[in-house]
């Protein structure tokens, strides 16, 4: 089959599927406009100096060298972001699964109730400012109040203004918020696991629930495990709102700076768009890279 | 716990294992729910109870004064409270309707048709699940300003139409519709659009609810940050943030507004829970 006939064949196929394209078009046009093109523009801008007023000026890799060699705050941001990703990523992922797994053993009514309890924080519309009251710096904050009452503290602590406490508190709040879409996918996935596999497993010599989990449940849920991993990882790399709401912007001595808050700083405060785009591009690469790596690892579950 | 007795054919569960797992569930369940209980109680505490030492979790003398304070506070503000509510409801409502329609229309061919470019298009959508909107914030702002949408509702609403998680879930869900059903309609002479509207759409109602709740959560909590500058276009969430930052004098009103903000999406979830879980069951990425 020659090149030309391949093309005419494809073209014919496309004509035959014109209804498919018509149905896809409205979504795809907006998706391309607000997701694909912005990613491309962002990558292009990352090689320029751009202040929103003058036309972007091409400067090669300069933004990237500045980012990694001269920007001390970016290094803090990277360190904090990785810390978030390494701690909240796996913990929230495992927590999503473990709690879904335990909840799955309950009766339907209790299952619905416990699902609500674990899911409520992530769905309740950014109410993490509750934690501002809990970690408020005066003695009326719950944390200070209880610690003073129980005699662990004499004076209230400025939790969110003390460098050493900021990150642990943010990690705690991020974990509180992190049982979201991935958690629901696991709850649902567990209910679809084929029951007969467990009976067959019991006959084949599976002795306890842990073996059952590793040899039957986890492999049956591999598709949901993949989906959950993508969702949890992406969220844990993108921490910014919680940091800004709780620790302030900028936080004390940049203790709560993350890649995204750094990006916001250069993009919206300093109008260094080229530089901010370089930050965005680095984040994008890190996210896609880790996601592919984690998916590769997950393929081995239960083997 | 009934499952432990009903699963007779499954392997024995050790009692100590069960107890420790459920203890785990209780401890972490408490961690999840206590801040919310605290927030609910705070909304009904008189001001002196919010500032007692030591702080209390539960309210002793419940009052509605925080809510009346909130209304007074907002009726004095330059923009009436009803305007913030209208803005949020408008953005959320239009955003949801548009997203459900567009994402479903796009999901149908991706799930059920074969055509050139299909695999590539879907892969790009999956890839976009892997990054945060922050990555594209700057170019998005530029595009909005080219379109002249800065400081309009559309800057928040239209991008939400093309939210990738919704399309992804909808496509996974539609794959479960039996092909025979669609074939039968085709034989009866129905057009693709008719099949989509009269057969596919009614069959994916559980997935609608999931998309609705996802978008609701996203748009209800949006403050138009970066796109909307006019006070009279700002959202409830933005107004809430202003009140909460108001400090001690507004602590009561802040607690009331926090309760209002959180109770709406939670209520919505309670009513749609079983349908949402049905959709999530098909959420997986296949190898």
């Amino acid at each position: 089959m020659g090149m030309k006939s391949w093309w005419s064949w494809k073209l014919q196929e496309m004509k035959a599927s014109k209804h498919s394209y018509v149905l896809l078009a409205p979504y795809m046009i907006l998706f391309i406009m607000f997701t694909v093109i912005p990613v491309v523009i962002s990558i292009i801008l990352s090689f320029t100096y751009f202040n929103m007023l003058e036309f972007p000026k091409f400067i090669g890799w300069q933004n990237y060298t500045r980012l990694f060699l001269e920007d001390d705050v970016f290094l803090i941001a990277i360190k904090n972001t990785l810390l978030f990703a390494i701690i909240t990523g796996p913990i929230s992922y495992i927590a999503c699964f473990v709690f879904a797994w335990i909840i799955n053993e309950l009766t339907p009514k209790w299952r619905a109730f416990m699902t609500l309890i674990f899911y409520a924080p992530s769905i309740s519309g950014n109410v993490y400012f509750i934690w501002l009251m809990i970690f408020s710096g005066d003695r009326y904050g719950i944390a200070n109040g209880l610690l003073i009452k129980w005699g662990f503290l004499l004076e209230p602590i400025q939790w969110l203004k003390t460098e050493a406490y900021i990150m642990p508190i943010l990690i705690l709040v991020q974990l509180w918020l992190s049982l979201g879409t991935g958690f629901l996918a696991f709850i649902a996935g567990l209910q679809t696991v084929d029951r007969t596999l467990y009976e067959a497993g019991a006959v084949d010599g599976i002795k306890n629930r842990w073996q059952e989990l590793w040899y039957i449940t986890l492999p049956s849920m591999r598709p949901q495990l993949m989906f959950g991993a993508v969702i949890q990882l992406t969220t844990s790399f993108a921490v910014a709102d919680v940091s800004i709401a709780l620790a302030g912007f900028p936080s004390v001595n940049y203790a709560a700076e993350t890649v995204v808050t750094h990006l916001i700083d250069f993009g919206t405060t300093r109008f260094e768009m080229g530089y901010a785009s370089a930050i965005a591009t680095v984040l994008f690469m890190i996210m896609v890279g880790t996601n592919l790596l984690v998916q590769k690892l997950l393929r081995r579950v239960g083997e | 716990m009934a499952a432990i007795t009903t699963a007779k054919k499954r392997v024995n569960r050790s009692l100590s294992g069960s107890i420790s797992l459920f203890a785990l569930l209780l401890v972490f369940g408490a961690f999840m729910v206590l801040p919310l209980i605290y927030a609910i109680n705070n909304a009904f505490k008189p001001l002196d109870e919010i500032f007692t030492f030591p702080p209390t979790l539960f309210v002793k003398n419940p009052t509605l004064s925080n809510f009346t304070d909130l209304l007074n506070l907002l009726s004095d503000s330059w923009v009436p409270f009803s305007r913030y509510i209208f803005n949020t409801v408008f953005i959320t409502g239009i955003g949801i309707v548009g997203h459900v329609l567009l994402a479903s229309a796009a999901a149908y061919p991706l799930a059920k048709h074969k055509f050139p470019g299909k695999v590539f298009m879907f892969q790009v959508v999956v890839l976009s699940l892997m990054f945060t909107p922050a990555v594209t914030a700057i170019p998005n702002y530029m595009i909005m300003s080219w379109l002249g949408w800065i400081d309009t509702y559309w800057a928040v609403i239209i991008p939400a139409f093309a939210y990738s998680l919704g399309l992804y879930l909808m496509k996974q869900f539609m794959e479960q519709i039996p092909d025979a059903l669609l074939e039968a309609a085709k034989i009866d002479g129905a057009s693709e659009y008719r099949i989509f509207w009269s057969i596919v759409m009614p069959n994916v109602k559980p997935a609608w609810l999931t998309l609705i709740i996802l978008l609701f959560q996203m748009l209800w909590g949006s403050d138009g940050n970066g796109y909307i500058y006019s006070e009279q276009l700002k959202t409830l969430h933005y107004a809430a943030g202003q009140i909460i930052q108001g400090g001690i004098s507004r602590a009561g009103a802040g607690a009331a507004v926090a309760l209002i903000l959180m109770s709406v999406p939670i209520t919505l979830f309670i009513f749609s829970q079983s349908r949402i879980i049905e959709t999530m069951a098909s959420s997986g990425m296949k190898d």
Side-chain angles (χ1 to χ4, degrees), chain A residues 10 13-14 17-24 26-28 30-31 33-39 41-42 45 50 52 98-99 101-103 105-107 111-112 114-127 129-131 133-134 139-142 145-146 148-149 172 176 179 181 184-185 187-189 191-192 195 198-199 202 206-210 212 222-224 226-227 230-231 234 238 260 263 267 273 276-277 280 283-284 287-288 291-292 295 299, chain B residues 1-4 9-14 17-18 21-22 24-25 28-29 31-33 35-36 38-39 42 50-57 99 102-103 105-106 108-110 113-117 121 124-125 127-132 134-136 138-144 146-147 149 158-159 161-165 167-169 192-193 196 213-214 217 220-222 237 244 248 255 258 261-262 265-266 269-270 273 276-277 280-287:
Chain A
K10 273 281 163 203
E13 222 185 337
M14 285 169 85
S17 346
K18 72 168 189 280
H19 301 299
S20 309
Y21 294 114
V22 171
L23 283 166
L24 263 166
Y27 180 92
M28 276 300 164
L30 294 181
F31 179 73
M33 233 164 88
F34 297 112
T35 303
V36 179
I37 294 179
V39 170
I41 296 182
S42 185
L45 279 183
F50 182 39
M52 292 291 266
V98 169
F99 294 124
W101 182 59
I102 306 175
I103 286 172
E105 303 259 305
L106 305 172
T107 56
R111 192 189 297 154
M114 291 311 285
T115 305
L116 177 67
I117 286 194
F118 279 88
Y119 187 58
S122 79
I123 205 185
S124 50
N126 307 348
V127 290
F129 46 69
I130 299 168
W131 292 90
M133 306 182 209
I134 295 175
R139 44 195 268 142
Y140 305 114
I142 282 232
L146 290 180
I148 293 174
K149 186 182 148 197
L172 186 78
W176 181 72
L179 269 66
T181 314
L184 285 188
I187 296 248
Q191 288 176 34
T192 60
R195 298 280 136 205
Y198 293 115
E199 291 160 26
I206 280 180
K207 287 190 199 68
N208 54 44
R209 74 175 94 205
W210 311 106
E212 197 177 83
R222 209 173 282 154
Q224 274 87 19
M226 296 272 193
F227 175 73
V230 168
I231 301 286
T234 307
V260 176
L263 165 66
M273 297 303 171
S277 296
L283 181 65
F284 179 57
M287 280 187 164
V288 174
N291 265 305
L292 296 179
Q295 291 197 29
R299 272 169 231 254
Chain B
M1 313 212 178
I4 295 169
K9 285 185 184 129
R10 288 175 65 173
V11 293
N12 287 328
R13 266 104 174 83
S14 65
S18 295
L21 285 179
F22 289 111
L24 197 73
L25 193 67
F28 285 91
F31 167 68
M32 298 306 275
V33 82
L36 295 176
Y38 174 62
N42 257 3
I50 292 180
F51 295 105
T52 51
F53 178 84
T56 53
L57 182 59
H99 176 69
L102 264 55
Y108 169 52
L110 285 178
H113 293 170
K114 269 188 79 173
F115 55 90
M121 280 192 235
V124 175
V125 173
L127 190 69
S128 77
L129 292 177
M130 295 181 190
F131 64 76
T132 163
V135 168
T136 55
I138 294 161
N140 265 330
Y141 185 89
M142 292 161 58
I143 290 173
M144 291 301 166
W146 289 331
L147 292 167
W149 287 355
I158 305 284
F161 284 4
Y163 183 48
S164 43
L165 186 58
L167 172 68
Y168 176 81
L169 291 172
E192 284 297 343
Y193 308 103
F196 165 67
I213 199 111
L214 279 177
Q217 196 183 347
W220 179 252
S222 82
H237 196 264
I244 287 157
I248 290 178
L261 275 182
M262 66 186 246
I266 290 181
F269 177 70
I270 292 174
Q273 186 176 18
I276 290 170
I277 289 191
M280 289 289 167
S282 55
S283 67
M285 291 183 182
K286 285 155 196 116
D287 293 88

Side-chain angles (χ1 to χ4, degrees), chain A residues 260-275:
Chain A
V260 176
T261 64
H262 202 55
L263 165 66
I264 295 172
D265 185 12
F266 279 92
T268 63
T269 320
R270 303 177 203 219
F271 291 104
E272 289 198 42
M273 297 303 171
Y275 193 63

Side-chain angles (χ1 to χ4, degrees), chain B residues 64-79:
Chain B
L64 287 176
S65 66
N66 290 330
F67 294 90
T68 50
D69 281 358
L70 176 67
L71 284 178
N72 291 333
L73 184 71
L74 289 160
S75 61
D76 291 344
S77 69
W78 183 47
V79 175

Side-chain angles (χ1 to χ4, degrees), chain A residues 135-147:
Chain A
F135 286 108
S136 137
D138 51 33
R139 44 195 268 142
Y140 305 114
I142 282 232
N144 277 331
L146 290 180
L147 289 172

